[in-house]
Amino acid sequence: MALPLPRSLTPSKVAAFKDCALAFRFSVIDGLPEPPSPPAVKGTLVHRALQLLLEEPPDQRTPATAEECLAKARVELASDPEFAGLGLDAEAEAAFAAEAGVLVSRYFQLEDPRRIDPVGLELKLEVQVGSLTLRGIIDRLERDEQGGLVVTDYKTGGVPPVFAEQQRLGGVHFYAYLCEQVYGERPSRIQLLYLSEPVAIMAYPSEQSIRGLQQRTTAIWRAVERACEREDFRPRTSRLCDWCAFQAYCPAFGGDPARAQDLLATRAS
Ligand code: SF4
């Protein structure tokens, strides 16, 4: 029996399928729970603080305001189940907040937020391609000084090596495609702002890059369709396995995928 197809593709689902088809199945198709991770929740906190900062009038976007925005974001996050799920004690929570503070302060080394002209923050875009829905949430869409659209994605993890930069830009190329479809205008620039170093990685979408994105996305979707039809999602080991929540069900680690199905059946009954 074929497995149900996912209803939509997002940049993170595309990346997840490419990284490991089996983990994609457990997460996206089966909906197995994954425990929250401190880096992911810290990323949520920093993104929210920067969103609040960019919602301020330009002349208010100072480091002092950013600290206030981070404090406000921390209050919001306190009631978030993902944050509660981390189970941080007071000392770990203080370290978590301090690390988020460093990331927010480093943002100011990358650009002057007073010069940013946002069109949208945490902007949800959706495009229908046949029966497939492509979705994305863009951290920030703005106009540059020449009037061109710029897609910005904040990153709170480590900066990739040079050979992996193009691969990491895949998500923002996807957003550029969504922008072109929704607004009828191709962004003139896409950029990843890595707050940990801090480093900005930029690219300039072209007819060719948009066409390439369409072809890669179509190829991934066909591969997902085939895998669902055949119920054939294979493990692909990499350093990501160290953080994978599904090792207990993964044959590459001596696990049994059938145990995941048992868990799902128990939850459904
Ligand atoms: S442990 Fe590694 S190979 Fe196995 S499902 Fe997770 S990411 Fe894939």
Side-chain angles (χ1 to χ4, degrees):
M1 193 179 71
L3 294 170
L5 280 168
R7 293 211 189 94
S8 63
L9 270 191
T10 62
S12 59
K13 287 181 188 171
V14 168
F17 185 78
K18 280 161 60 182
D19 287 339
C20 174
L22 183 60
F24 173 91
R25 178 200 164 147
F26 288 144
S27 171
V28 177
I29 311 267
D30 295 335
L32 285 179
E34 293 172 69
S37 77
V41 179
K42 200 187 302 152
T44 302
L45 174 63
V46 170
H47 277 70
R48 178 64 179 147
L50 293 179
Q51 179 189 357
L52 292 170
L53 177 70
L54 270 291
E55 282 172 357
E56 293 288 332
D59 62 349
Q60 302 289 310
R61 297 174 194 157
T62 62
T65 306
E67 281 180 29
E68 290 167 16
C69 292
L70 181 59
K72 192 172 167 196
R74 279 185 67 194
V75 171
E76 291 175 4
L77 190 71
S79 56
D80 188 312
E82 293 266 299
F83 179 72
L86 296 178
L88 301 178
D89 60 23
E91 193 182 333
E93 189 176 334
F96 178 92
E99 287 160 15
V102 168
L103 291 169
V104 170
S105 68
R106 286 196 181 143
Y107 161 74
F108 286 87
Q109 295 174 35
L110 283 167
E111 63 183 13
D112 181 348
R114 293 171 301 183
R115 299 168 67 105
I116 305 298
D117 177 19
V119 174
L121 300 168
E122 297 297 317
L123 188 64
K124 292 189 175 101
L125 294 184
E126 189 174 303
V127 168
Q128 200 66 34
V129 182
S131 60
L132 171 64
T133 306
L134 300 179
R135 284 204 177 95
I137 303 176
I138 300 178
D139 290 345
R140 192 177 87 199
L141 184 66
E142 77 234 36
R143 292 272 172 203
D144 64 15
E145 283 168 4
Q146 291 71 44
L149 283 175
V150 177
V151 173
T152 297
D153 203 21
Y154 305 118
K155 296 289 181 192
T156 50
V159 178
V162 173
F163 70 83
E165 283 184 1
Q166 286 311 312
Q167 187 192 359
R168 297 291 179 90
L169 282 162
V172 268
H173 276 296
F174 190 103
Y175 294 145
Y177 172 71
L178 292 183
C179 278
E180 187 169 296
Q181 295 300 307
V182 172
Y183 298 113
E185 180 181 342
R186 182 181 309 147
S188 55
R189 191 171 88 233
I190 54 180
Q191 58 183 10
L192 303 174
L193 299 187
Y194 280 90
L195 305 172
S196 56
E197 292 281 339
V199 163
I201 298 176
M202 298 179 189
Y204 302 88
S206 62
E207 183 75 38
Q208 193 184 11
S209 70
I210 294 280
R211 200 168 47 243
L213 181 282
Q214 280 176 300
Q215 287 166 348
R216 285 193 300 280
T217 306
T218 305
I220 291 281
W221 182 244
R222 290 209 179 110
V224 171
E225 284 181 317
R226 263 196 315 274
C228 284
E229 250 168 53
R230 299 172 187 169
E231 292 196 38
D232 183 10
F233 289 85
R234 297 182 190 183
R236 179 170 178 264
T237 54
S238 70
R239 62 186 180 81
L240 296 175
C241 297
D242 292 348
W243 297 280
C244 179
F246 309 122
Q247 276 194 14
Y249 315 119
C250 176
F253 286 82
D256 180 1
R259 282 186 53 210
Q261 301 314 309
D262 292 345
L263 173 69
L264 287 171
T266 314
R267 288 171 70 209
S269 60

